[in-house]
Amino acid sequence: MASTTTSVPIARRRELPPAAALLLTIAGNILVLGIAAVAVAGVAVAAVAVFGPAVLAAL
């Protein structure tokens, strides 16, 4: 194999600082919990809309 040289600089690899990674993890978990809460509320509203007062009476 022949070695080659290039005049194009190779960019240094940037890594995420640990504090930023922790904040992104926490924010991601909060986002997932928020989406899950909205989904549960949507299912509850749909159940009331479909089944009407029978669901409320069963509670």
Side-chain angles (χ1 to χ4, degrees), residues 10-48:
I10 297 175
R12 197 186 89 185
R13 197 173 154 182
R14 292 188 236 167
E15 293 188 12
L16 204 57
L22 180 65
L23 286 175
L24 283 173
T25 301
I26 293 170
N29 287 337
I30 290 171
L31 181 63
V32 167
L33 290 176
I35 291 171
V38 169
V40 168
V43 169
V45 168
V48 170

Side-chain angles (χ1 to χ4, degrees), residues 1-6:
M1 292 180 97
S3 64
T4 60
T5 59
T6 180

